[in-house]
Amino acid sequence: VGGVTAFVDERSSLVALAHCVEPGDGVIGAHVRRRGAQETLARISRSADGLRQAAGLMARLDASRWERADERAAQVGARIVTRLDREWPSQLDDLEHAAPYALWVVGAADLRLIALRSVAIVGARSCSQYGENVARTWSALLVDEHWSVVSGGAFGIDSAAHRGALAADGVTVCVLAGGVDVPYPRAHDALIARIADEGLVISETPPGESVRRQRFLSRNRVIAAISRATLVVEAAERSGTIATARAATQMSRPVMAVPGPVTSPVSAGCHRMIRDGEAVLVSSSDEVMAHLDLGFAGRQGGAPPPAPRSPDEGRVLDALPARGSRSVDSVVAACGLAADTVIMCLGSLEVQGAVTNVGDGWRLVKR
Amino acid sequence: VGGVTAFVDERSSLVALAHCVEPGDGVIGAHVRRRGAQETLARISRSADGLRQAAGLMARLDASRWERADERAAQVGARIVTRLDREWPSQLDDLEHAAPYALWVVGAADLRLIALRSVAIVGARSCSQYGENVARTWSALLVDEHWSVVSGGAFGIDSAAHRGALAADGVTVCVLAGGVDVPYPRAHDALIARIADEGLVISETPPGESVRRQRFLSRNRVIAAISRATLVVEAAERSGTIATARAATQMSRPVMAVPGPVTSPVSAGCHRMIRDGEAVLVSSSDEVMAHLDLGFAGRQGGAPPPAPRSPDEGRVLDALPARGSRSVDSVVAACGLAADTVIMCLGSLEVQGAVTNVGDGWRLVKR
């Protein structure tokens, strides 16, 4: 099989898997977690381990142009982020066997940093005017408090959440079910382009890949995983939104739901989740933020809430130039702290209003 | 003091206390629970036990015409019910020191029986159209399932609940803060008169007594106590409605709340109670009834939910005439069961659709 010799390292193997394994396939995912991507691919290419779909996977891999994935990503303005890259949001590992192998990312912001203070706002496509208003206004209020808003770019609640964040000059993340160059729904291509300009558009499927029914469910689990909490504004029963909320719960993320009139079918899912204890009722963006802080407090390794400045934060501040900006790698080199620590400190300092992200670097905020 | 010699028995002593002690006075209530009404009154009349208010109480008692209370009640179409009377709803004893000494009752139905399958529907006076619709329609659906609806006759949610029950030919109970002959608010005197005709109007204050601020709070605790559960349709924060719900919780009654738009101030109290676990979210009358059944299941001595017919129920059925009706006392005499047992059986049989209440008696339902 042609591709075998090219699985030269773990990262390119992850990228290769992203080209042939359907998102959310837990069987291959389990192999990768146990043996790594390189070894899994080698076994697939030998049709080992009784992997019935091995031939199909190899055929699909051969048909893809995965070896030139970075080049092709650059052509559509994207970069590829795997768990071996600094920008990988570590909370994606909570997906375990169903974690993406790679993400295609379009946008200037740092996905890992953005994800550290992110909340998913999701809901019904056929939402009510009430739900649309709540999604738009709360999203704006959340980005005012330096939260980023993650959603799926769909009609209804999703796009209202994105638009609210954009209107307030915040960062919003759109997770697509197809390739980052395949805006879906098509009616939202201007919105998705604007999100790419001012925030992030991401996908676990390679450029050119179309949306498929199953991929929406897979995409929803990425939305739930990448965000610190999920807010359901409106949801019918047995909807994709409910699936997103369930995924968030399985990963111990707080799930919140907005109540509405009992006469509104699109509030029925929210009411059921609240009644059954699957979601906490929230009636204002302040209550959402109170819960987000609780979510942080309950997790190890989470970004710290705004707090007295630590010694590490002081070292990071000292490493930033008086004028102009500096890349994260350069700050790491200058202050002598681990990259993860620097990133956490920058996130915390940004919340405190001490530093700001300027595309490919960080600079001090003048007082 | 003139009245002392007239405290001839416990029942007349309870009636006397209802004429001089302000509703909900826990100090006198504690004395009564410990020593009985007769002994408490004797001590008050001797100004014993350091009861500072003894002189005031005696003055108030002397000024009242309590010795002729039954006569006066009859003049306004009422009867007086104390814990020594068969019609007393035993769940009022859950109020402990704050239990009423007596109730003035207007209406043909049996208060004890009605209270066995009752739900309080309460809420904001300045409710929304949405809340009014929910209160009216759910009230009608609940009486369709043989529940009676208890409320306070106030503007807004209260009157919508009463009207919904009346529209569905159900029994509704209006608990007044002043005397049963002092309809309040005045604008509702026609509504309250209709409730007296088709359901029950009750009060723990004697005829002629006016409403006072404190008496609304006392009245609310009677609403909560007499009902098996409390449904809050809309409530602002720090409202009398919230106090009713708290009283229900303190007596281990289920409390339910209806969600609404987060933009509606009169839903804020409901949302806060749901969020804090003080109320269960309900989004339909079916959910209300499911919770009412749960409430029964969790309580000792509650009315049984519809169930296979018991031997006692068979004896009660046998005691009813083939044609026409028979009073409870007459059924008791005929079947040889205790009055309490007969009442429970009649309530259960009514739920099963086997018997029906015809004002002052019961008759078999023809199939």
Side-chain angles (χ1 to χ4, degrees):
Chain A
V1 182
V4 178
T5 54
F7 307 143
V8 292
D9 60 22
E10 185 67 10
R11 184 179 184 281
S12 62
S13 300
L14 285 165
V15 172
L17 285 170
H19 281 76
C20 63
V21 182
E22 197 55 27
D25 181 322
V27 176
I28 305 294
H31 278 267
V32 172
R33 280 180 75 87
R34 199 157 50 231
R35 308 193 174 92
Q38 211 172 348
E39 174 64 14
T40 300
L41 263 180
R43 286 174 183 236
I44 290 173
S45 70
R46 297 196 306 268
S47 296
D49 286 340
L51 276 167
R52 283 177 305 167
Q53 71 268 56
L57 290 172
M58 291 316 294
R60 194 163 160 192
L61 190 57
D62 287 341
S64 77
R65 298 181 298 161
W66 72 271
E67 302 92 336
R68 303 176 60 193
D70 283 314
E71 188 182 324
R72 189 157 176 226
Q75 283 165 3
V76 299
R79 58 192 177 277
I80 302 177
V81 175
T82 71
R83 77 180 69 235
L84 300 171
D85 297 289
R86 195 196 49 72
E87 199 180 343
W88 182 257
S90 54
Q91 60 260 43
L92 283 175
D93 296 333
D94 291 347
L95 285 167
E96 301 186 348
H97 298 174
Y101 304 110
L103 290 175
W104 278 258
V105 180
V106 184
D110 183 297
L111 176 60
R112 183 186 175 99
L113 266 178
I114 293 303
L116 280 176
R117 267 184 79 85
S118 66
V119 56
I121 300 184
V122 296
R125 287 189 300 278
S126 54
C127 70
S128 72
Q129 187 64 52
Y130 162 71
E132 192 176 317
N133 287 343
V134 168
R136 199 182 60 247
T137 56
W138 291 16
S139 179
L141 290 163
L142 283 159
V143 304
D144 279 348
E145 300 296 328
H146 307 286
W147 287 89
S148 58
V149 170
V150 180
S151 197
F155 290 114
I157 297 299
D158 282 19
S159 58
H162 289 306
R163 286 185 214 279
L166 291 169
D169 295 323
V171 172
T172 186
V173 181
C174 178
V175 186
L176 290 176
V180 291
D181 60 338
V182 186
Y184 184 91
R186 295 302 302 269
H188 284 173
D189 51 3
L191 171 65
I192 293 168
R194 194 176 158 205
I195 295 171
D197 277 348
E198 304 181 25
L200 291 168
V201 173
I202 69 174
S203 174
E204 64 178 310
T205 62
E209 284 291 325
S210 59
V211 299
R212 291 184 206 154
R213 188 174 170 76
Q214 180 57 35
R215 287 182 176 173
F216 288 107
L217 290 174
S218 311
R219 182 271 309 269
N220 289 348
R221 87 194 194 294
V222 173
I223 291 176
I226 215 165
S227 311
R228 305 308 299 254
T230 293
L231 170 66
V232 180
V233 177
E234 286 185 328
E237 274 296 6
R238 288 177 294 279
S239 59
T241 304
I242 300 288
T244 307
R246 291 246 163 85
T249 299
Q250 277 160 12
M251 291 177 282
S252 307
R253 312 267 194 281
V255 175
M256 294 164 271
V258 180
V262 295
T263 44
S264 168
V266 282
S267 282
C270 291
H271 293 155
R272 209 266 314 143
M273 286 195 294
I274 293 166
R275 199 188 55 220
D276 292 351
E278 293 175 18
V280 172
L281 182 151
V282 282
S283 55
S284 71
S285 61
D286 283 344
E287 288 178 24
V288 173
M289 285 185 270
H291 261 278
L292 290 168
D293 289 342
L294 280 179
F296 275 128
R299 275 181 69 82
Q300 283 192 312
R309 205 158 286 175
S310 71
D312 284 352
E313 288 169 10
R315 288 170 69 180
V316 169
L317 278 178
D318 288 343
L320 286 174
R323 275 186 287 190
S325 68
R326 197 162 200 178
S327 73
V328 171
D329 290 344
S330 165
V331 173
V332 168
C335 72
L337 293 168
D340 266 15
T341 309
V342 169
I343 288 166
M344 299 282 263
C345 289
L346 287 169
S348 173
L349 290 165
E350 185 181 41
V351 172
Q352 298 168 40
V355 304
T356 187
N357 188 341
V358 288
D360 55 2
W362 290 81
R363 65 170 176 75
L364 294 171
V365 171
K366 299 280 185 271
R367 302 274 182 178
Chain B
V1 178
V4 178
T5 53
F7 306 143
V8 291
D9 60 23
E10 184 68 10
R11 184 178 185 279
S12 62
S13 300
L14 285 166
V15 173
L17 285 170
H19 280 76
C20 63
V21 181
E22 196 56 27
D25 181 322
V27 176
I28 304 293
H31 277 268
V32 172
R33 279 179 77 85
R34 200 155 49 232
R35 306 193 177 92
Q38 209 172 351
E39 174 64 16
T40 300
L41 264 179
R43 285 174 183 234
I44 290 173
S45 71
R46 298 196 306 266
S47 296
D49 287 339
L51 276 168
R52 283 178 306 168
Q53 72 267 53
L57 289 174
M58 291 317 293
R60 195 163 158 194
L61 190 57
D62 287 341
S64 77
R65 297 182 297 160
W66 71 270
E67 301 93 336
R68 301 178 59 194
D70 283 313
E71 188 181 326
R72 192 162 173 219
Q75 282 164 6
V76 299
R79 57 192 177 274
I80 302 176
V81 175
T82 70
R83 79 179 69 235
L84 299 173
D85 296 290
R86 194 195 49 75
E87 200 180 343
W88 181 257
S90 54
Q91 60 260 43
L92 283 175
D93 296 334
D94 291 347
L95 285 167
E96 300 184 348
H97 298 173
Y101 303 111
L103 290 176
W104 277 259
V105 179
V106 184
D110 184 298
L111 175 60
R112 183 187 175 99
L113 265 180
I114 293 303
L116 279 176
R117 268 186 80 86
S118 65
V119 56
I121 300 184
V122 295
R125 286 189 300 279
S126 53
C127 70
S128 72
Q129 187 63 52
Y130 162 72
E132 194 176 316
N133 287 343
V134 168
R136 200 184 57 246
T137 56
W138 291 16
S139 179
L141 290 164
L142 283 159
V143 304
D144 278 348
E145 300 296 327
H146 306 286
W147 288 89
S148 58
V149 170
V150 179
S151 197
F155 289 116
I157 298 300
D158 282 20
S159 59
H162 288 309
R163 286 185 214 278
L166 291 171
D169 296 323
V171 172
T172 186
V173 180
C174 177
V175 185
L176 290 176
V180 290
D181 59 338
V182 187
Y184 184 91
R186 293 304 299 271
H188 283 173
D189 50 4
L191 172 65
I192 293 167
R194 195 176 156 205
I195 295 171
D197 275 348
E198 305 181 23
L200 291 168
V201 173
I202 69 173
S203 173
E204 63 178 311
T205 61
E209 284 292 324
S210 59
V211 299
R212 293 185 205 154
R213 190 175 169 74
Q214 179 58 36
R215 288 182 175 173
F216 288 108
L217 290 176
S218 311
R219 183 270 310 266
N220 290 348
R221 87 191 195 296
V222 173
I223 291 176
I226 214 165
S227 311
R228 305 307 298 253
T230 292
L231 170 67
V232 180
V233 178
E234 287 186 328
E237 276 296 8
R238 287 178 293 281
S239 58
T241 303
I242 301 287
T244 307
R246 291 242 163 87
T249 299
Q250 278 161 12
M251 289 178 282
S252 306
R253 310 269 195 279
V255 175
M256 296 163 269
V258 180
V262 296
T263 45
S264 168
V266 281
S267 283
C270 290
H271 293 155
R272 208 268 311 142
M273 285 196 294
I274 293 166
R275 199 186 58 222
D276 293 352
E278 293 175 17
V280 172
L281 181 150
V282 282
S283 56
S284 70
S285 60
D286 283 343
E287 288 178 25
V288 172
M289 284 184 271
H291 261 280
L292 290 168
D293 289 341
L294 278 178
F296 274 128
R299 276 180 69 84
Q300 285 193 309
R309 205 158 286 171
S310 70
D312 283 354
E313 288 169 9
R315 288 170 69 178
V316 168
L317 278 178
D318 288 343
L320 286 174
R323 274 186 288 192
S325 67
R326 196 161 200 176
S327 73
V328 171
D329 289 345
S330 164
V331 173
V332 168
C335 72
L337 293 168
D340 266 13
T341 307
V342 169
I343 289 165
M344 300 281 263
C345 290
L346 286 169
S348 172
L349 290 165
E350 184 182 41
V351 172
Q352 298 168 38
V355 304
T356 187
N357 187 340
V358 288
D360 54 1
W362 291 81
R363 66 170 174 74
L364 294 172
V365 171
K366 298 280 183 270
R367 302 274 181 177

